[in-house]
Amino acid sequence: MFAPRDPALEDVRPDEALMRAVQGGDSRAFEGIYDRYHRPLFSFFVRLTGDRPGSEDLVQDVFVRVLRYRASYDPGRPFKAWIYQLARNAASDRRQSRAAHHGADALPDDVRDPGPTPLARVVGDERRALVERGLGALPDEAREAIVLSRVEGLSHREVGRILGCTEAAARVRVFRAVQQLRSAVERLQRPRG
Amino acid sequence: MTNDSSTFACGDLEQVLPAAWKGELGRQELDALEQHLASCGQCRALATGLEDAWMSVGLDDVMGPGADLRARVMRAADLAFHDRAGVTPAAAAAASPRHAAPSSSWWKLAAAAAAFVVVGVGIGRAWPDTQLQQEVSFLRDELRSVRHVMTLSLIQQASATERLQAVATAALIDRPDAQVRDALLEALAGDGNVNVRLAAIDALRGLAGDPRVSAQLIASARDRNSPMVQVAVIDALVERRDRSAAPALRAIADDSEAATAVRERARWAIGQLQASAI
Ligand SMILES: [Zn+2]
């Protein structure tokens, strides 16, 4: 007896095969990609911007881009790097268009609150809270390197693909970003005088 | 700095340490690092401090996105799969407004306006009576002016969602007046939200042949800040068969700083415009 085709079985296909199916118009495959990536992308944007509703919009934006640019995806290349590149573009489009819209003087809406983030408040751990604030104070590229490597748990090889550099260069970027983070935390610890 | 291990220099630390944190080092590399740290106090202190910072970055799973996100994305996907050319994000966003709360008077107005059209057109068809048709035509004019007012007031809103609604409303106007056109051009040129800019491109479709629209589309095609807007604008120029765009498209195709997808699209567009000229 043949068992009915179990839709859950489709989930074992690698990302690249799912995306190839999406290119062929398979909406189930698109759902599979959504299920795999919406949470990591959401956490990537939340940690990057500190803005939850804005991060939902960015996640939606990424999946719209996946569909819009589906023909340009090369299934011979790692899908994860491709979708994170779309995610970076989405975040940078938003930053740039906000800056353009509000003028150079105005702070972008998504500038991080210098106070404890909601996440840090929930965590309640003073050290963690401090590090969260330090992370928020870093330049975007440094924060991005740490979020991709540490929070998203991507290998440095993957981080390199996403940032468009070698694995070795990705490691160096992470190292320097962590150095910046450490200095930022030290500055925050210093009593204001 | 001490460096008594021949296989490891202090300068290697910045490449090796992050790999060590993530368990990416082989046994030999790890041994070399450990040996070096045992003998070099400066690297040891640095490594300890940085590892502490690294480990302190919380891994706590942020609470997942709201339950409606999946539905929003799938609605957008549905549109895309029915549109071979690829989804227009503006259509996707309009199909799934984030804050569809009926608290906004826009929704009531829009619903009333839609009912107006449906009822009006329906009646007009069923009873081809001149007086009735005049009334329908009057209602349509009313509707146009309601839409104009809605567009102009909403497009000033601070919230991107409301601006998006304004632009989506403008897309329903069959002959936008100059004020609405200028508001749309302004949104296309510099709105802070990409979706609003994309929706403006769609809304400007009704203005074929307007030279100001062409000029702004061409200017926006060169705006590298948003490759997504660039691609949508290029598509719009092709749709308008706007041959005055050809020099700008060639410049984009040759612009080494433009995104690859944009350059490819520009090349494709040049081909399309040439084909339509034959
Ligand atoms: Zn050393």
Side-chain angles (χ1 to χ4, degrees):
Chain A
M1 283 288 284
F2 290 105
R5 204 168 77 116
D6 182 0
L9 280 181
E10 291 189 17
D11 284 351
V12 304
R13 281 191 289 176
D15 294 346
E16 291 73 20
L18 281 183
M19 190 57 204
R20 204 178 304 130
V22 169
Q23 289 176 322
D26 181 347
S27 59
R28 289 283 284 281
F30 179 75
E31 286 183 48
I33 284 177
Y34 177 85
D35 290 339
R36 274 179 207 179
Y37 280 97
H38 76 282
R39 283 191 72 115
L41 288 173
F42 182 67
S43 102
F44 171 67
F45 287 130
V46 169
R47 299 303 285 270
L48 211 59
T49 67
D51 168 14
R52 285 184 60 93
S55 294
E56 288 196 6
D57 288 343
L58 283 167
V59 171
Q60 180 177 357
D61 191 353
V62 171
F63 285 103
V64 167
R65 285 171 194 233
V66 165
L67 292 168
R68 189 176 181 95
Y69 298 128
R70 63 188 186 271
S72 75
Y73 170 69
D74 170 3
R77 292 178 165 250
F79 175 76
K80 194 188 270 181
W82 188 70
I83 196 170
Y84 273 98
Q85 278 162 358
L86 293 182
R88 293 182 75 218
N89 292 344
S92 120
D93 275 358
R94 189 172 73 147
R95 266 198 307 271
Q96 289 184 2
S97 66
R98 280 193 176 185
H101 189 61
H102 295 285
D105 300 337
L107 286 171
D109 294 354
D110 58 352
V111 78
R112 276 175 164 251
D113 176 16
T117 64
L119 180 73
R121 281 200 296 274
V122 172
V123 170
D125 174 337
E126 210 175 306
R127 169 78 185 158
R128 282 269 170 94
L130 206 59
V131 172
E132 274 299 311
R133 285 175 62 192
L135 199 57
L138 294 187
D140 293 328
E141 314 78 62
R143 186 163 58 244
E144 187 178 54
I146 293 178
V147 170
L148 287 171
S149 167
R150 169 73 177 157
V151 181
E152 300 287 288
L154 302 176
S155 69
H156 287 109
R157 194 172 166 184
E158 287 170 326
V159 174
R161 280 198 194 113
I162 293 164
L163 301 181
C165 63
T166 63
E167 180 180 357
R171 291 176 180 182
V172 173
R173 279 205 209 183
V174 169
F175 180 93
R176 291 181 186 167
V178 175
Q179 265 183 319
Q180 284 178 279
L181 174 62
R182 188 191 180 200
S183 313
V185 170
E186 279 170 2
R187 271 198 305 279
L188 289 167
Q189 271 170 325
R190 228 172 279 149
R192 291 181 190 208
Chain B
M1 261 182 231
T2 334
N3 182 19
D4 35 49
S5 162
S6 57
T7 51
F8 198 104
C10 297
D12 293 339
L13 194 67
E14 63 175 9
Q15 225 214 86
V16 173
L17 198 57
W21 293 333
K22 293 180 65 74
E24 293 175 349
L25 292 184
R27 189 67 253 168
Q28 270 189 325
E29 290 171 300
L30 203 58
D31 286 346
L33 171 66
E34 280 170 358
Q35 264 177 36
H36 182 78
L37 292 183
S39 64
C40 175
Q42 208 163 344
C43 283
R44 190 164 59 241
L46 182 57
T48 310
L50 293 184
E51 185 173 351
D52 179 49
W54 168 262
M55 294 301 286
S56 310
V57 176
L59 291 183
D60 313 76
D61 202 9
V62 292
M63 239 194 317
D68 68 323
L69 180 62
R70 187 189 172 88
R72 279 162 57 196
V73 171
M74 293 312 154
R75 273 198 296 270
D78 206 38
L79 285 175
F81 282 119
H82 287 92
D83 169 12
R84 292 183 60 85
V87 71
T88 68
S96 52
R98 244 189 82 70
H99 309 288
S103 63
S104 154
S105 57
W106 183 87
W107 287 101
K108 288 176 206 149
L109 262 173
F116 241 28
V117 171
V118 172
V119 170
V121 171
I123 290 173
R125 279 213 201 99
W127 290 280
D129 171 85
T130 324
Q131 199 192 335
L132 208 56
Q133 277 180 347
Q134 273 170 356
E135 248 171 75
V136 168
S137 144
F138 169 74
L139 287 177
R140 281 182 155 171
D141 286 347
E142 281 287 280
L143 179 60
R144 274 189 74 224
S145 72
V146 167
R147 283 181 175 151
H148 276 100
V149 171
M150 283 192 320
T151 302
L152 292 172
S153 60
L154 279 168
I155 211 159
Q156 316 287 344
Q157 297 300 311
S159 128
T161 308
E162 281 176 288
R163 296 201 305 281
L164 195 55
Q165 286 168 350
V167 173
T169 310
L172 299 172
I173 302 173
D174 46 0
R175 282 163 289 138
D177 65 17
Q179 234 183 326
V180 169
R181 177 200 63 196
D182 292 347
L184 289 172
L185 290 177
E186 204 184 313
L188 168 58
D191 197 282
N193 181 293
V194 170
N195 283 332
V196 174
R197 298 180 69 194
L198 292 166
I201 297 167
D202 280 352
L204 288 164
R205 278 205 172 119
L207 290 163
D210 184 320
R212 286 198 205 200
V213 176
S214 291
Q216 184 56 54
L217 285 173
I218 291 169
S220 296
R222 287 165 164 260
D223 173 8
R224 287 196 217 103
N225 282 335
S226 172
M228 208 163 164
V229 169
Q230 284 182 288
V231 168
V233 164
I234 292 170
D235 288 356
L237 289 167
V238 169
E239 194 182 295
R240 297 162 72 88
R241 302 189 174 187
D242 194 334
R243 262 172 256 145
S244 70
L249 289 171
R250 263 190 287 277
I252 294 164
D254 295 336
D255 179 1
S256 60
E257 283 181 57
T260 314
V262 173
R263 298 179 63 186
E264 274 169 18
R265 201 66 179 170
R267 249 172 254 135
W268 166 84
I270 294 165
Q272 293 290 309
L273 289 178
Q274 278 165 349
S276 73
I278 297 166

